[in-house]
Amino acid sequence: MKEKILIIEDEKDIVKMLDYNLKKEGFRTLSVDDGGDALDLVNRERPELIILDLMLPGMDGLEVCKALKKEGKTASIPIIMLTAKSQEADKVVGLELGADDYVTKPFSPRELIARIKAVLRRVQEKDKLPEAAKIGELSIDFSRIAVTVKNKVVELTAKEFELLKALIRAKGRVLSRDYLLDNIWGFDHAEEIQTRTVDVHIRTLRKKLKSEARRIITVKNYGYRLDYEV
Ligand code: CA
């Protein structure tokens, strides 16, 4: 099944043109013309990529981009912005907010599709996990789900292993508690008690990693990251 692409744009002709051309390429499409509605739709539909026009009624494109990149559940969905020539500054802000690419209007569908494919390729490449990793004295074999510290086997629970895997995959980037909850536990987490679940598992994971426990770094009031320095 081909990727699902969400078009956030209020100009009907552009939506129609994109919808037609993306479907012709085999993509599944969805569209919405309002920034506020777009956020709900993204949470419900989890598209693989978002085409976001910066000029939207109500909540503008930059606000939508900011909201999506802030939320653990949606932060990893790539965004391609549609900008007008007069929006040079906004384009830069959008990229700083975490948008992946942009296309300036007027554009050809071929150009946009090439950008979409390139962004999707990049994301999929990034998600690929190596067979194994060695960080200092810590070794992980992803296919065998085996972890050793100083050549001694460390018995981890499934959740602890998933946590460690997520941290390794992030390559030193900070992962928020929300992100970890969504991706490892997969539940909505309105209550504080659930956020603490992550902390509890990090604590047991650290205990088991012994001398390599120091690699898991707490980022206060936010989450965790892995230290790659030997
Ligand atoms: Ca527009």
Side-chain angles (χ1 to χ4, degrees):
M1 186 82 94
K2 271 280 208 173
E3 290 88 351
K4 194 195 291 177
I5 298 182
L6 172 65
I7 306 160
I8 308 177
E9 163 70 288
D10 60 317
E11 277 166 76
K12 289 197 172 54
D13 291 345
I14 293 182
V15 175
K16 221 161 122 188
M17 181 268 276
L18 288 177
D19 189 62
Y20 172 79
N21 284 285
L22 290 173
K23 282 199 174 119
K24 213 169 72 182
E25 282 292 314
F27 292 112
R28 289 175 291 155
T29 60
L30 284 165
S31 65
V32 60
D33 59 7
D34 177 278
D37 294 345
L39 297 180
D40 295 335
L41 197 62
V42 173
N43 274 306
R44 222 169 38 236
E45 293 284 343
R46 303 292 177 95
E48 268 84 21
L49 184 138
I50 295 168
I51 297 170
L52 172 65
D53 185 42
L54 291 189
M55 293 263 253
L56 293 169
M59 192 178 191
D60 77 21
L62 286 178
E63 286 173 64
V64 174
C65 182
K66 198 163 155 188
L68 290 172
K69 292 296 177 187
K70 207 178 66 190
E71 201 64 48
K73 265 187 254 183
T74 54
S76 63
I77 304 172
I79 296 176
I80 298 180
M81 300 177 286
L82 301 181
T83 68
K85 275 234 164 59
S86 59
Q87 290 176 299
E88 279 297 300
D90 288 351
K91 175 188 88 190
V92 175
V93 174
L95 292 172
E96 277 171 359
L97 287 174
D100 295 78
D101 205 351
Y102 66 91
V103 172
T104 308
K105 289 177 180 176
F107 57 87
S108 72
R110 253 178 84 181
E111 182 191 357
L112 180 64
I113 283 163
R115 297 290 180 91
I116 290 171
K117 287 182 177 169
V119 168
L120 287 173
R121 213 162 36 232
R122 224 155 55 214
V123 170
Q124 282 150 6
E125 206 56 44
K126 213 169 66 192
D127 280 350
K128 243 188 247 163
L129 205 59
E131 291 274 294
K134 193 165 180 356
I135 305 149
E137 301 285 356
L138 174 66
S139 296
I140 302 102
D141 184 327
F142 293 109
S143 53
R144 284 175 41 239
I145 315 190
V147 175
T148 61
V149 171
K150 290 187 175 162
N151 298 321
K152 279 210 187 94
V153 176
V154 178
E155 301 281 357
L156 298 182
T157 64
K159 294 290 185 224
E160 288 161 357
F161 186 81
E162 289 299 316
L163 261 177
L164 186 60
K165 191 164 93 175
L167 288 166
I168 290 170
R169 242 176 136 143
K171 296 193 171 121
R173 268 186 300 120
V174 185
L175 300 179
S176 70
R177 288 190 181 83
D178 282 353
Y179 175 89
L180 292 167
L181 270 175
D182 285 337
N183 284 274
I184 296 171
W185 282 269
F187 48 51
D188 277 329
H189 41 85
E191 290 156 46
E192 196 201 345
I193 189 95
Q194 290 170 324
T195 311
R196 245 184 276 138
T197 306
V198 177
D199 301 337
V200 169
H201 281 78
I202 288 278
R203 201 177 309 146
T204 58
L205 177 59
R206 274 179 174 146
K207 220 175 248 168
K208 291 179 181 180
L209 294 181
K210 295 195 169 119
S211 61
E212 295 299 275
R214 64 185 171 87
R215 298 204 172 272
I216 301 175
I217 294 171
T218 306
V219 179
K220 214 177 158 216
N221 297 328
Y222 190 74
Y224 298 94
R225 68 179 188 85
L226 204 70
D227 181 11
Y228 272 74
E229 302 291 316
V230 183

